[in-house]
Structure formats: structure tokens, C-alpha cells
Amino acid sequence: MSNLLVEISDRIATLTLNRPEVMNALNHDVFKELENAVADLGSREDVGCVILCGAGRAFSSGHDLKDIDAGAESEHAQFEADVLEQLASLPMPTIARVHKYCFTGALELALACDLIFIDEDTRLADTHSKWGLSPVWGMTQRLPRRVGAARAKDLMFSARLVGAQEALAIGLVEKVCAVDSLEDDTLAYAREVTENSAHTHRVCKDILDKTDGMPLGQGLSYEYTNSPGACDDAQERVANFMKNQK
């Protein structure tokens, strides 16, 4: 049985973590399949948005403790981190669709996506300190960039669960949905995204990534120098709009 299900429909790719019997705990095999899926998506022109979700009762309970107990934390840590970097570097927008639980390694996985949508029952946490582990998949860098250094420290030091409304208030997630509408709401948003220019999305993601952490003046200079202005499909899109106005 595949640990990751891949479905592509209407220019939307849905990647589903598929270990529901262990609440989609993340192991090396999951990341191997995720690596292959991300490599394929990176070169596809027929995909305009990616949704990452989990099968069954939860998005993911986090890194499989059996892997850690067997010593895989030190053996494979850089590999998993590299896969998350590849996910974060996809040229199209990515959305983590999170329900119920999203702990530690699972949160690092979600943070590698552009946006995080959750339902009202979702609980998120960084529990590295509960297990005597230190982050190796990006938590110390991606979490404070979302919520600020002080809030990141709070979540790391306390290992406490964060509910849906607090997660939204502190900027950890972008959208909170009703439990029974999370899937439909995420899909509707993804469809809106794919109606817009994939070329623009690619340029914006690249500039945002390259200028992250730059002073404002330096970032503006980078945009002025590296943004093409009119993207590859601009003329066609403007022409279609003008045609429909007649």
C-alpha cells in the first residue's frame, strides 16, 4: 500500500498522507514517496496548485516514534529536511489542509507549504522538547517567520497544544473552516488560485523566497531588477478580457 496518494484533477494535485492506522505518522518511507511526488510536480505544467492532506482521523501525529527509537532521527534527518526544502521550493502555490492533529514533524511539514488551512477541531504543537529532541526539519526557521520569535519560543518551550482560533490569531494558519467544510473550502480556494496566472505565481514565490530577510530597500531593488512585469501569459489574458468586454 502506498504511503502517499497522488491525485491530479482540474490542475490541482492532492497529496494524501496514507498511514491512517497510525494517524499518518511520518517515517522514511513516507518521505521517499513525497520526494518522488514533489520531483514530478516540479516539472509539470498542468498543475497550478498543490494540496497536502492526511487520510483518516488526522493530518499527522508527527514523526513516527518507532523511527526515532530505531535511530532513524540521526540517520535520515538531512534527507527529510531536503525533501521539505523541495516541497517549499515548488513553483506553484501549496496548501496544507490540516485536520485534528498536527504535531512537531507534521507541523514542520505543514510549515513548508505556502498556506495552512485547518478545521475548528485542529490542534497543533511543537513537542520536540517533550521528547528531548531538537528540530532538524526547519522548525527553528519557519515557525518564527510565521508567528514571531517570542511566540515561537513559547510554543517550543511549553510544547503546548494550540487550538484553531489561537492558531489563526497568531498567524500560524491562514484559515479556519468548519469541520465538515474544510475539504470543500480548500478545494474552492485552490480552484481560484488555478484560474490565475501560474507564471505570476512562479515569479512571486521566487522573489519572496530570494528576498526573505532582506532589508526593505534591498528587497525592493531585487524586485525592480528581477520581476519581468508582464509574464508569459499577460498579453493573452489582457486580450481575452478586452474581447469579453465587447
Side-chain angles (χ1 to χ4, degrees):
M1 183 180 70
S2 176
N3 294 293
L4 184 77
L5 305 179
V6 180
E7 178 184 358
I8 298 175
S9 178
D10 297 329
R11 302 195 68 240
I12 299 169
T14 302
L15 308 181
T16 305
L17 303 173
N18 191 40
R19 302 184 74 210
E21 70 282 358
V22 289
M23 291 195 294
N24 300 314
L26 304 171
N27 63 10
H28 187 64
D29 291 339
V30 171
F31 275 88
K32 283 296 294 182
E33 294 185 38
L34 182 60
E35 179 189 38
N36 292 334
V38 169
D40 176 62
L41 291 172
S43 62
R44 296 188 68 132
E45 297 293 335
D46 60 335
V47 174
C49 187
V50 176
I51 297 172
L52 177 66
C53 58
R57 294 182 295 146
F59 173 72
S60 173
S61 58
H63 195 172
D64 195 329
L65 294 179
K66 292 181 180 178
D67 258 17
I68 298 173
D69 186 51
E73 177 75 12
S74 58
E75 180 184 354
H76 298 306
Q78 189 63 52
F79 169 72
E80 272 85 354
D82 288 344
V83 175
L84 293 190
E85 282 295 304
Q86 293 162 30
L87 174 63
S89 299
L90 280 174
M92 68 284 289
T94 56
I95 307 169
R97 192 184 80 205
V98 175
H99 67 288
K100 198 59 175 179
Y101 301 129
C102 182
F103 300 153
T104 318
L107 181 55
E108 287 172 305
L109 176 58
L111 287 168
C113 294
D114 297 312
L115 305 172
I116 303 175
F117 292 1
I118 67 174
D119 67 32
E120 295 169 331
D121 285 351
T122 298
R123 300 293 181 267
L124 309 98
D126 174 20
T127 64
H128 279 102
S129 63
K130 180 177 180 180
W131 305 109
L133 301 171
S134 62
V136 291
W137 295 355
M139 186 74 79
T140 64
Q141 300 305 302
R142 292 194 175 98
L143 183 60
R145 281 169 168 76
R146 273 184 169 263
V147 303
R151 285 196 177 101
K153 289 176 182 178
D154 165 39
L155 299 182
M156 291 175 179
F157 297 164
S158 67
R160 64 183 179 85
L161 302 186
V162 176
Q165 292 306 318
E166 181 184 1
L168 182 64
I170 66 176
L172 180 55
V173 306
E174 280 65 54
K175 189 176 182 67
V176 176
C177 306
V179 173
D180 59 359
S181 70
L182 174 62
E183 183 174 350
D184 289 342
D185 289 351
T186 306
L187 186 58
Y189 182 90
R191 285 173 176 154
E192 289 184 9
V193 167
T194 60
E195 290 175 359
N196 295 323
S197 171
H199 301 285
T200 301
H201 293 154
R202 180 187 296 268
V203 170
C204 288
K205 283 194 64 169
D206 182 66
I207 293 176
L208 286 166
D209 180 59
K210 296 289 176 50
T211 60
D212 186 28
M214 283 186 184
L216 177 59
Q218 188 177 351
L220 289 172
S221 178
Y222 186 94
E223 179 192 302
Y224 301 155
T225 303
N226 292 278
S227 177
C231 294
D232 292 353
D233 57 348
Q235 187 171 0
E236 178 185 358
R237 284 176 171 270
V238 172
N240 286 337
F241 175 80
M242 296 304 295
K243 180 179 178 181
N244 291 331
Q245 298 305 300
K246 295 179 180 178

